[in-house]
Amino acid sequence: MPGSRAGTRRREGRRSVANAEHSVRGDATAGTRTGAARAVLWLVVAALAVRQMAVVLRQPPGERLTDLETWIGENGVLHVTGSLYDTDRFTGTPFAGLVLKPLTRTAEQSLGVAWTFGSLLLVAALGIIAARALPGPVNRRTALLAAPVAITLLMLSLPVRNALYLGQTSILPVLLVLVGCFVVRGERASGVLIGVAAALQPTVLLFAALLWLTGRRRAALTGGAAFAACTALAWAAMPHDSWTYWVHHVAGAGLGDQADSLANQSLHGALLRFGLEGPLEIALFLVLAAAVCFLGLRRAVRYARDGQLLLAVAVTGCVAVAVSPTAWQHQLLWVLLAVVGRVGARASERMVWPAVVVLVITLPGKMLLPNIEAVFPVRDNVLLIAALGAACVAPFLPRTSPYWQQPIPTDYAAPVPARWSRVPLLPFWRRVLSRPNLLLELLLIRVVYSAYQHVRLAATAGRATAEHHGGQVHSLEQWLHIDIEHWVNHAVVRVGWLRDFFDYYYSTFHFIVPLAILGVLYVRRPADYRWVRSSIGFATVLALVGFWLYPLAPPRLMPGLGFIDTVHGVQDFAKPDYGTLTGVTNQYAAMPSLHFGWSLWCGVVIVMLAPKTWMKLLGVLHPLFTVSAIVATGNHWVLDAVGGALVVALGFGLTYLLSGPRRLQEPAVKAAQPPAAGRPPDRAAVPERVKAEGEAVAGKS
């Protein structure tokens, strides 16, 4: 017995040493990966900085730094003549003009380089401060990657890009506020910085109210005094400009572009775009602004007391954006800071809010929402809606919530071995069983489709190349004896009802059927939805590569072959662009045919998933009708359909490589069923009392 106990102890000792060595190796591996990721992100930051400088400096004088160059003279030297507001370009405060006056003796060329480089340095400082101000606790990986990620997002954001292009000072007030809140020590220094920021952007004075309500009254008073002193100094130095700005234009309202233009993303601008004007609009604006100030500052105070000061700063900034008479695009950087808020108790929901904020702040509204009149009010005010959401609506979690650090985990499918053992499945792609967030999914689908349209339109090498490729395809089909396009095209033209049928089918079902399938699967079979959505996404990306590498003229655009364009009408071959249709889409994006590719994808998905035989038959008929339509209307060669089938097959193959077979293991499906109604999630590590208190606080926020 003693010998056996000693042997057992030795085995346990060896096992513990082995576990410790494995843990050390795992930590070392994770550290190496984090270091590599950090290095890559900093390289991305450097590349973006170089690109931003190149984009600005590549513009000819007069088209870059347009707001700053309001004072450019005939010899390329900046100088001030008359009022700052003689033109509609300068929209800053008189104090901002006073700060910029030392630049009036600087040569324009050197100023462009220095201003752009200095602005990028401000962006880098802003990102580093924001990364260090993240509400804790923050793990080591997040701490190491936060700064380059923050700077990257800032450089990609519309406000920073707009400020760099125009030569605006709007980055500086945000940086001064962050320095005052997170870097300097002492109430007076903090208040002075915020006061100077408010002198550059008046609605930033709301941060003095935040300081007052959070108990930092000396800093609040100092901030108000600093704002008054800077404004008085500017008034003494430039009384005429100060009168113009503060009295004639009421704190800058009406300067720059028209107040009802899409560039003004404030409540005032939105009300004007809705057709309100005069005393009614002013009264409604004041009421709404007061309500937003009350709700937003109340939430900001709550988050500041909860230890989320950066989120409190972001919320207050979003309030300042909404209630300002004019909030131009370069002044909306506060919205991006709201990305630090945590929304959602489930891990699968945690990235929805950051993704929506990043999409809204980096992409124009036309890419986010379709060109449909019903959504114009949302599309035209999307930045304002994001600011109002962050200020008054978004249910950010408090740090006392049990879900702050440990959200409800996502249900993943059990690993399914590959049918072919030699084909490896990538380990980082795991099948999620629940359906994705609908808002984020719609936004991503719209953004991807908009990017697809832009790439498709740009992927052209000219008429001569496309016609040369068309001749190659036609010759290959003749050699294969499958050149049936001309015969089918003319046969259909002679039968009126058949021509109308194929024209309608070609124009209508290309989008309706795939969207209907995705919608049904999203509601009824979320795990299958993710699988088939990935497959059509991969197929579309591969098709874009084909459009770019092999521009191809379809039969209807091949001169001398006698094809009849039944859908678009007679094309004018005397014009290289074949009329106005080229401005809408790239007419040489024919290989591969996504008309047939998407229809084949629909047919495969319906055959795989449809429960009824008649549904499967309809699924088979759809690609057959589509291939007949694209050939009969003269829009594609037969080999284009072969190319479409190839990219769809590759799309399904890539999806298989990443996430395994479509069918899931039965035990995994049963284990992933949601808990019964009224049953709380399994949170054994969290005391029930703390959990209830956290949920109560989250509900109030």
Side-chain angles (χ1 to χ4, degrees):
M1 293 293 291
S4 63
R5 291 178 181 175
T8 301
R9 285 195 295 270
R10 284 195 297 270
R11 287 193 297 271
E12 291 177 351
R14 287 194 297 268
R15 188 181 300 113
S16 63
V17 171
N19 291 337
E21 292 177 351
H22 177 74
S23 176
V24 171
R25 287 195 298 269
D27 293 342
T29 303
T32 302
R33 291 176 179 174
T34 301
R38 189 185 187 196
V40 170
L41 287 173
W42 280 115
L43 287 176
V44 171
V45 169
L48 285 175
V50 172
R51 181 184 180 278
Q52 294 285 25
M53 287 198 66
V55 168
V56 174
L57 299 180
R58 195 181 299 161
Q59 300 294 327
E63 296 182 14
R64 67 183 181 195
L65 307 176
T66 53
D67 288 2
L68 183 63
E69 292 182 354
T70 302
W71 309 316
I72 291 182
E74 297 179 357
N75 298 322
V77 178
L78 294 175
H79 66 99
V80 178
T81 56
S83 173
L84 293 173
Y85 308 108
D86 285 342
T87 67
D88 60 354
R89 290 183 174 181
F90 188 76
T91 60
T93 63
F95 179 73
L98 186 63
V99 171
L100 294 175
K101 267 197 173 184
L103 302 177
T104 58
R105 299 183 182 274
T106 306
E108 187 273 333
Q109 186 64 34
S110 60
L111 176 63
V113 177
W115 183 273
T116 306
F117 184 72
S119 299
L120 291 174
L121 289 180
L122 295 181
V123 172
L126 185 60
I128 292 173
I129 296 173
R132 294 183 176 180
L134 291 176
V138 176
N139 59 44
R140 183 174 179 272
R141 179 182 176 87
T142 301
L144 291 174
L145 301 181
V149 169
I151 298 173
T152 299
L153 292 178
L154 287 168
M155 288 187 178
L156 291 175
S157 65
L158 292 174
V160 167
R161 285 151 51 191
N162 196 259
L164 289 173
Y165 176 76
L166 297 175
Q168 281 286 350
T169 61
S170 53
I171 300 172
L172 188 56
V174 182
L175 180 61
L176 290 175
V177 170
L178 291 189
V179 171
C181 291
F182 300 104
V183 178
V184 300
R185 296 182 179 180
E187 298 288 291
R188 292 182 179 177
S190 178
V192 168
L193 289 173
I194 291 176
V196 173
L200 296 172
Q201 189 174 332
T203 50
V204 174
L205 196 60
L206 284 171
F207 282 95
L210 176 65
L211 294 175
W212 181 276
L213 294 173
T214 53
R216 302 179 63 184
R217 298 191 173 184
R218 179 176 295 180
L221 293 174
T222 305
F227 167 75
C230 293
T231 304
L233 177 63
W235 200 292
M238 298 180 293
H240 175 70
D241 288 338
S242 297
W243 177 270
T244 301
Y245 182 87
W246 291 107
V247 178
H248 181 68
H249 284 288
V250 190
L255 291 175
D257 203 348
Q258 295 294 325
D260 61 348
S261 70
L262 298 181
N264 181 16
Q265 290 291 304
S266 69
L267 283 171
H268 177 55
L271 292 176
L272 291 175
R273 285 190 290 273
F274 281 123
L276 299 175
E277 58 183 12
L280 175 62
E281 187 274 329
I282 295 175
L284 185 57
F285 167 64
L286 293 176
V287 171
L288 292 177
V292 171
C293 286
F294 175 78
L295 293 175
L297 289 177
R298 183 181 179 185
R299 283 160 54 89
V301 170
R302 184 187 309 149
Y303 299 134
R305 292 174 177 170
D306 186 57
Q308 302 185 67
L309 183 56
L310 182 58
L311 179 58
V313 168
V315 169
T316 306
C318 290
V319 173
V321 165
V323 304
S324 176
T326 51
W328 307 117
Q329 191 176 79
H330 56 82
Q331 297 173 328
L332 302 178
L333 200 53
W334 305 103
V335 179
L336 181 59
L337 296 180
V339 77
V340 301
R342 298 189 183 184
V343 179
R346 299 181 179 275
S348 59
E349 302 170 353
R350 189 58 58 87
M351 292 303 297
V352 173
W353 170 255
V356 170
V357 172
V358 170
L359 288 175
V360 167
I361 206 67
T362 57
L363 298 176
K366 292 182 179 180
M367 287 192 68
L368 298 175
L369 293 170
N371 190 29
I372 301 176
E373 187 174 359
V375 300
F376 282 177
V378 177
R379 190 189 71 178
D380 295 345
N381 303 285
V382 64
L383 286 168
L384 172 62
I385 293 172
L388 291 174
C392 305
V393 179
F396 299 117
L397 288 176
R399 295 171 67 205
T400 54
S401 170
Y403 305 112
W404 172 265
Q405 280 291 98
Q406 296 180 340
I408 300 173
T410 302
D411 291 329
Y412 294 102
V416 180
R419 182 174 303 172
W420 299 284
S421 58
R422 294 183 180 179
V423 179
L425 300 180
L426 298 185
F428 63 83
W429 190 295
R430 295 188 291 173
R431 292 281 298 278
V432 180
L433 295 175
S434 59
R435 62 178 56 89
N437 180 272
L438 181 59
L439 172 62
L440 182 59
E441 195 72 4
L442 292 176
L443 276 177
L444 290 177
I445 290 175
R446 170 60 190 173
V447 168
V448 170
Y449 179 70
S450 183
Y452 158 76
Q453 286 182 310
H454 282 80
V455 173
R456 177 186 168 114
L457 187 60
T460 178
R463 173 184 175 185
T465 302
E467 290 181 355
H468 175 67
H469 291 163
Q472 290 178 341
V473 171
H474 188 227
S475 299
L476 180 59
E477 289 190 351
Q478 287 178 326
W479 183 74
L480 295 172
H481 301 287
I482 58 172
D483 54 326
I484 61 173
E485 294 89 355
H486 188 275
W487 174 79
V488 173
N489 177 244
H490 282 260
V492 169
V493 168
R494 288 193 291 267
V495 183
W497 66 269
L498 191 58
R499 170 178 175 168
D500 294 339
F501 170 76
F502 281 129
D503 287 353
Y504 181 79
Y505 205 93
Y506 176 86
S507 305
T508 306
F509 291 92
H510 180 45
F511 294 106
I512 292 179
V513 179
L515 291 176
I517 291 175
L518 289 173
V520 171
L521 292 180
Y522 179 87
V523 175
R524 303 292 297 271
R525 307 177 71 162
D528 286 331
Y529 167 80
R530 291 178 180 269
W531 200 86
V532 300
R533 177 204 57 184
S534 300
S535 63
I536 194 174
F538 287 134
T540 303
V541 171
L542 293 172
L544 288 178
V545 176
F547 299 155
W548 193 278
L549 297 179
Y550 197 78
L552 173 66
R556 63 184 178 84
L557 294 183
M558 288 293 291
L561 296 184
F563 285 94
I564 299 174
D565 189 345
T566 64
V567 177
H568 308 98
V570 178
Q571 297 295 319
D572 185 2
F573 286 93
K575 295 182 179 180
D577 60 354
Y578 299 114
T580 59
L581 192 61
T582 304
V584 179
T585 182
N586 176 16
Q587 299 187 77
Y588 299 140
M591 172 63 80
S593 169
L594 275 186
H595 259 84
F596 178 70
W598 285 1
S599 69
L600 180 62
W601 174 88
C602 294
V604 172
V605 171
I606 292 174
V607 170
M608 285 194 306
L609 302 179
K612 304 291 185 181
T613 303
W614 64 269
M615 296 180 181
K616 297 180 185 293
L617 291 176
L618 289 179
V620 173
L621 289 176
H622 179 51
L624 293 178
F625 283 154
T626 302
V627 72
S628 302
I630 63 175
V631 173
T633 58
N635 279 278
H636 284 284
W637 307 96
V638 172
L639 288 180
D640 295 345
V642 176
L646 178 61
V647 295
V648 168
L650 291 175
F652 280 114
L654 286 174
T655 306
Y656 177 88
L657 290 178
L658 290 172
S659 56
R662 182 192 63 81
R663 292 185 179 275
L664 302 175
Q665 290 184 351
E666 191 66 22
V669 177
K670 291 181 179 178
Q673 294 298 326
R679 177 184 172 186
D682 185 12
R683 312 291 294 176
V686 182
E688 290 297 322
R689 180 180 59 82
V690 177
K691 176 182 172 183
E693 292 175 354
E695 291 175 343
V697 175
K700 292 179 181 178
S701 67

